[in-house]
Amino acid sequence: MNVWILAVIIMLIAFLMTMTGRGGGNFYVLTLVLSGISMNISASTGQFILMCSSLMATILFSKQKMNHWKLIILLGVLIFVSAMSGGFLGHYFNDRLLKGIFAVVMFFAALLMLRKPKQQLKSNHYWVITLKSNGEEYQVNLLVTVPIVLLTGFISGMVGVSGGSFLVPLMLLTMNIPMHIAVGTSTTLVTISAAAGFFGHLGAGIFLPHLAIPLAVGGLIGGFLGAKMALNSKPKNLKFLFAGTQLVASVIMIINVL
């Protein structure tokens, strides 16, 4: 497929996915794989596109105070290290295995989004910490959050998916963070994860600039437009858009693996 046609498709994907805090990494990889590009090259290219488009969205969300910076710092360190490790080690796994992991991750993330959030956690345990942002308090259960973020970062870096696939459900279901704040926070974390995963792939020598740069231009444009749209969208609509698109992508990839 012509690279500029792919760039237009990437732009449309970035527009939709940026609205949900994922950036579009899942669909970038899916699109590239279905166009005949190997999984490892698709993963590294997807991370580069995701890094560029999510950075654009992060800047816009930051101006609207949609980022929870204390939570970003807490989770960002964990996801950076794990995503870089996943990106560096990804080439040791075969394409079929990576595609299978990719599909399973997306499917379960979509199902999680359809669940109702749990009630506020009790903060009288040393593993539950309280974070404040814009006058609101959120409880973070470290026993749940840390292992999920480490696993999310590793899989994100290895497969080239966006960490937002699990980060948004994590914040909604275990911390009761509002959808808009979850989207803004997740987008920033996705930028960190994508950068770490990309540099991991780059360190392993898996990167094609002549393919990635034109596609990243499409991602930047789509990320900008998607972030603008998210600022004016209802949280309920964002939630169902997240779950619906995630299910579609996972089913397509499962069919592709089989």
Side-chain angles (χ1 to χ4, degrees):
M1 185 181 294
N2 182 278
V3 67
W4 293 109
I5 295 177
L6 274 176
V8 173
I9 296 174
I10 292 297
M11 180 184 69
L12 296 175
I13 293 172
F15 171 74
L16 290 174
M17 296 300 99
T18 300
M19 293 174 61
T20 60
R22 290 182 302 183
N26 304 346
F27 286 85
Y28 300 152
V29 174
L30 178 61
T31 299
L32 295 173
V33 168
L34 293 179
S35 68
I37 299 171
S38 72
M39 186 64 191
N40 285 316
I41 294 298
S42 295
S44 65
T45 304
Q47 292 286 31
F48 181 72
I49 299 169
L50 182 59
M51 177 180 68
C52 296
S53 61
S54 295
L55 179 60
M56 172 64 74
T58 295
I59 294 172
L60 294 178
F61 288 149
S62 296
K63 292 180 179 180
Q64 299 298 320
K65 296 183 179 180
M66 288 174 60
N67 294 328
H68 194 313
W69 288 107
K70 292 181 180 179
L71 189 58
I72 289 170
I73 294 172
L74 172 66
L75 303 184
V77 174
L78 298 175
I79 205 167
F80 183 87
V81 174
S82 57
M84 182 173 287
S85 300
F88 186 76
L89 297 174
H91 67 286
Y92 289 109
F93 299 84
N94 62 51
D95 278 11
R96 190 177 183 84
L97 177 61
L98 291 181
K99 289 177 183 178
I101 294 174
F102 176 86
V104 172
V105 167
M106 290 195 299
F107 183 79
F108 282 104
L111 295 181
L112 285 174
M113 285 298 292
L114 300 177
R115 296 183 58 189
K116 292 183 179 181
K118 294 182 178 180
Q119 296 298 317
Q120 196 82 342
L121 296 171
K122 294 182 179 180
S123 57
N124 58 346
H125 300 296
Y126 66 88
W127 60 82
V128 177
I129 62 175
T130 300
L131 298 177
K132 296 181 179 180
S133 178
N134 298 324
E136 299 288 340
E137 291 188 354
Y138 309 106
Q139 275 70 47
V140 180
N141 187 332
L142 297 178
L143 291 181
V144 174
T145 301
V146 172
I148 289 180
V149 171
L150 288 175
L151 181 61
T152 296
F154 185 80
I155 293 177
S156 298
M158 180 176 66
V159 185
V161 304
S162 92
S165 298
F166 269 121
L167 292 175
V168 171
L170 177 68
M171 286 184 277
L172 289 177
L173 299 175
T174 68
M175 305 176 199
N176 284 326
I177 291 180
M179 185 66 187
H180 277 82
I181 300 299
V183 167
T185 300
S186 174
T187 298
T188 305
L189 289 170
V190 165
T191 305
I192 296 172
S193 173
F198 167 68
F199 286 116
H201 284 288
L202 189 63
I206 306 173
F207 183 60
L208 297 178
H210 66 276
L211 172 67
I213 292 176
L215 300 185
V217 172
L220 279 169
I221 297 173
F224 175 81
L225 297 176
K228 285 287 189 180
M229 182 66 70
L231 296 176
N232 299 314
S233 299
K234 296 181 180 179
K236 184 177 180 180
N237 293 338
L238 295 178
K239 181 177 180 179
F240 283 110
L241 177 62
F242 185 108
T245 53
Q246 192 86 325
L247 282 172
V248 170
S250 63
V251 170
I252 292 175
M253 182 58 79
I254 289 173
I255 295 174
N256 182 259
V257 171
L258 299 176

